Amino acid sequence: MWPCGGRRQRRVGGVALVAVVLWVLVRRFNWSELVPLRLWGRTLGLQTERSQFLLEGMPFRIFGGSVHYFRVPREYWEDRMLKMKACGLNTLTTYVPWNLHERDRGKFDFSRNLDLRAFLSLAAQNGLWVILRPGPYICSEWDLGGLPSWLLQDPEMQLRTTYKGFTEAVDAYFDHLMPIVVPLQYKKGGPIIAVQVENEYGSYAKDPNYMAYVKTALLNRGIVEMLMTSDNKNGLSYGLVEGALATVNFQKLEPGLLKHLDSVQRDQPKMVMEYWTGWFDNWGGPHYVFDADEMVNTVASVLKLGASINLYMFHGGTNFGFMNGALEADEYKSDVTSYDYDAVLTEAGDYTSKFFKLRQLFSMVIGQPLPLPPVIESKASYGAILLHQYISLWDVIPPLLQPIKSEFPINMENLHLNDSSGQSYGYVLYEVVIFGGGHLHSRNHVRDRAQVFVNTMYVGELDYNTVELSLPEGQGFRQLRLLVENRGRVNYGLALNEQRKGLIGDVFLNNAPLRNFKIYSLELKPAFMKSLQHVSGWSAVPDYFVGPAFFRGRLWIEHQPQDTFLKLQGWEKGVVFVNGQNLGRYWKIGPQETLYLPGPWLRKGSNEIVIFEERTAGRIIQSVDIPYLGRTQYVD
């Protein structure tokens, strides 16, 4: 028999244990404090109970924000997450870009800046839940909506359908992606509380069996968390799939918009998967901005109605390299390099007025103090950078590039390159021998823009609007050269199957189709850019020079490198590389006038800058500490 003192000790110990358990439960089920590493015994996951979400059986609201790991340097991932927490958000949403993870068919990359496991684990470490949006299609103003271009090698390809060639490729991709994702689900101790089935399929809706296929593909590979769909108002009823919660996307809260969700699914919580905090820009247009007060008032209205919300974008980042998408409605319009989006954070991760207004709003809703916002890193102005050497494209071709010979023009995707995966991005040079001059007609087979040369003499351009040129007469045989740029594949709408680039058909001279081409791939990959350093023929830049040509110079940094912005005033159109990193495109038509250069991509000492300029080159570029994204226009 235990003595009385022992019973008293056990009573005190029991009370203490209950207090500890109650403390843990309070910590555990206060939704605003839910932190993945603090949860024990996860069994229920995210659920719905009439008009509310439950997480582990307790009421929960999703305050989310979108940050895409592939648009942000890895060194800044945690900074952006800490800023989400400081704004009052509890959930991170991200797309997964298939065309980066499987650039060439059958070769998968989840390393370095594409380390999805590391990104999601970091979200957990910083107390953020995750809604994963793995596609396979993601839209996102990203080339072909995230689908790899090698899919278009099949002339019968039907993207985003149950066409066998597409589903076999998706299955192979998911077989590699899902083993990374599955262990990071909530019920397995990870941060993923929900997974989205495809993306805005209601606006495409070409195959009534497709959404069920994608859902099954996820479930069969071990996805056990809540499934969701995401559509705008007009696509809601066409993008549904049984067993997935429908969510809605918008920017302006029209009367009855959230109630419209009840017409497609009754007695379910309301979720805005994409509340558009700003908008994206196209070359030749304005820089769009969305009024901060109007945005915050709309968010407040959504919250007042009891809905959950995800801010698209919380932080937009950058379309580095050639990864920007495009629109094709009345005309083709490619997206700019910056994905600033007029979001809550700027392209470089700095605070905006939207951040502080939202922080105040979420603080009031949560009813608890928020973490202090991280200190902003200062930006550098390194001044003028002289591009002191150049080499003409025509001098680069013989030592570095081998032609593909073909009787007929071949589109970019079907060039026999990259282990038969074709060429995805960049430029293609088509050469053909002609005799004399005359009338050149593209029959609208140029995708997207071709500079036309006779030998090395510039003649003009062909694109969607200009389909014919006059070639000057000349003596003997000459080379006709078409330097064709892929400006970015359309990422939204019904034209996805028609996004092959380069020359997609015959080009005619005096009504006769051109034949017997030499075709050179100019994908400007890292290996090519490295070999360019050692090619002979670099010369001092003259006072005036017309491209296409490569230019190089050096930026010397004395201290710890900082973020900066490159201004290319006096340059016409091209691409900038710094220490081998492709910063993206510039174009004098704007609106974007500076390119973001992240500090982690620089180093103390010498930094090599290479510019591929298509036409008119300057002599210097400027490193400035303030971005300029162009003349602004408010979103209607």
Side-chain angles (χ1 to χ4, degrees), residues 239-254:
L240 300 174
V241 64
E242 185 178 356
L245 179 76
T247 68
V248 68
N249 307 334
F250 62 82
Q251 186 167 71
K252 305 290 179 77
L253 183 58
E254 302 171 13

Side-chain angles (χ1 to χ4, degrees), residues 338-358:
S338 172
Y339 201 58
D340 177 88
Y341 204 82
D342 191 36
V344 182
L345 301 181
T346 68
E347 179 180 12
D350 293 339
Y351 300 117
T352 68
S353 62
K354 292 179 180 179
F355 175 90
F356 294 106
K357 292 174 186 289
L358 285 168

Side-chain angles (χ1 to χ4, degrees), residues 7 82 107 169 176 192 222 228 240 254 260 273 277 291 356 383 387 471 480 492 512 520 522 563 574 589 627:
R7 284 198 295 272
L82 292 172
K107 294 184 177 180
H176 284 79
I192 300 172
M228 296 180 171
L240 300 174
E254 302 171 13
H260 181 62
M273 182 62 78
T277 61
D291 183 75
F356 294 106
L387 280 296
L471 299 185
L480 175 66
Y492 180 82
Y520 297 89
L522 282 165
D563 287 1
I589 66 172

Side-chain angles (χ1 to χ4, degrees), residues 94-163:
T94 185
Y95 284 128
V96 181
W98 182 6
N99 56 5
L100 288 186
H101 289 297
E102 193 182 1
R103 289 179 183 269
D104 298 336
R105 186 189 290 267
K107 294 184 177 180
F108 298 91
D109 184 4
F110 291 92
S111 64
R112 300 177 299 277
N113 224 88
L114 298 178
D115 192 338
L116 178 61
R117 179 184 287 107
F119 181 74
L120 299 179
S121 298
L122 193 60
Q125 292 170 26
N126 285 282
L128 290 166
W129 301 114
V130 172
I131 297 176
L132 193 71
R133 311 175 78 187
Y137 164 84
I138 64 172
C139 186
S140 190
E141 292 70 64
W142 194 253
D143 188 276
L144 201 60
L147 302 176
S149 63
W150 46 259
L151 290 167
L152 297 174
Q153 291 180 327
D154 179 353
E156 305 300 322
M157 176 56 66
Q158 297 296 312
L159 301 173
R160 303 180 73 193
T161 71
T162 53
Y163 175 73

Side-chain angles (χ1 to χ4, degrees), residues 370-418:
L370 298 176
L372 290 175
V375 175
I376 289 293
E377 297 290 335
S378 60
K379 308 298 183 286
S381 176
Y382 294 115
I385 304 166
L386 175 66
L387 280 296
H388 62 284
Q389 288 187 314
Y390 84 101
I391 186 170
S392 169
L393 174 63
W394 316 125
D395 294 328
V396 167
I397 291 172
L400 294 185
L401 299 174
Q402 292 295 320
I404 295 171
K405 296 180 181 180
S406 173
E407 181 179 358
F408 305 97
I410 304 174
N411 59 285
M412 177 181 282
E413 296 79 7
N414 285 95
L415 293 174
H416 191 68
L417 299 164
N418 300 318

Side-chain angles (χ1 to χ4, degrees), residues 195-233:
V195 176
Q196 186 175 296
V197 182
E198 235 268 353
N199 187 59
E200 297 179 316
Y201 195 70
S203 300
Y204 197 73
K206 289 189 175 184
D207 185 341
N209 300 314
Y210 174 67
M211 287 293 282
Y213 154 73
V214 177
K215 183 190 80 170
T216 302
L218 295 170
L219 296 178
N220 286 349
R221 288 167 176 82
I223 295 299
V224 296
E225 304 302 338
M226 177 179 289
L227 299 178
M228 296 180 171
T229 62
S230 170
D231 285 285
N232 59 34
K233 179 184 177 182

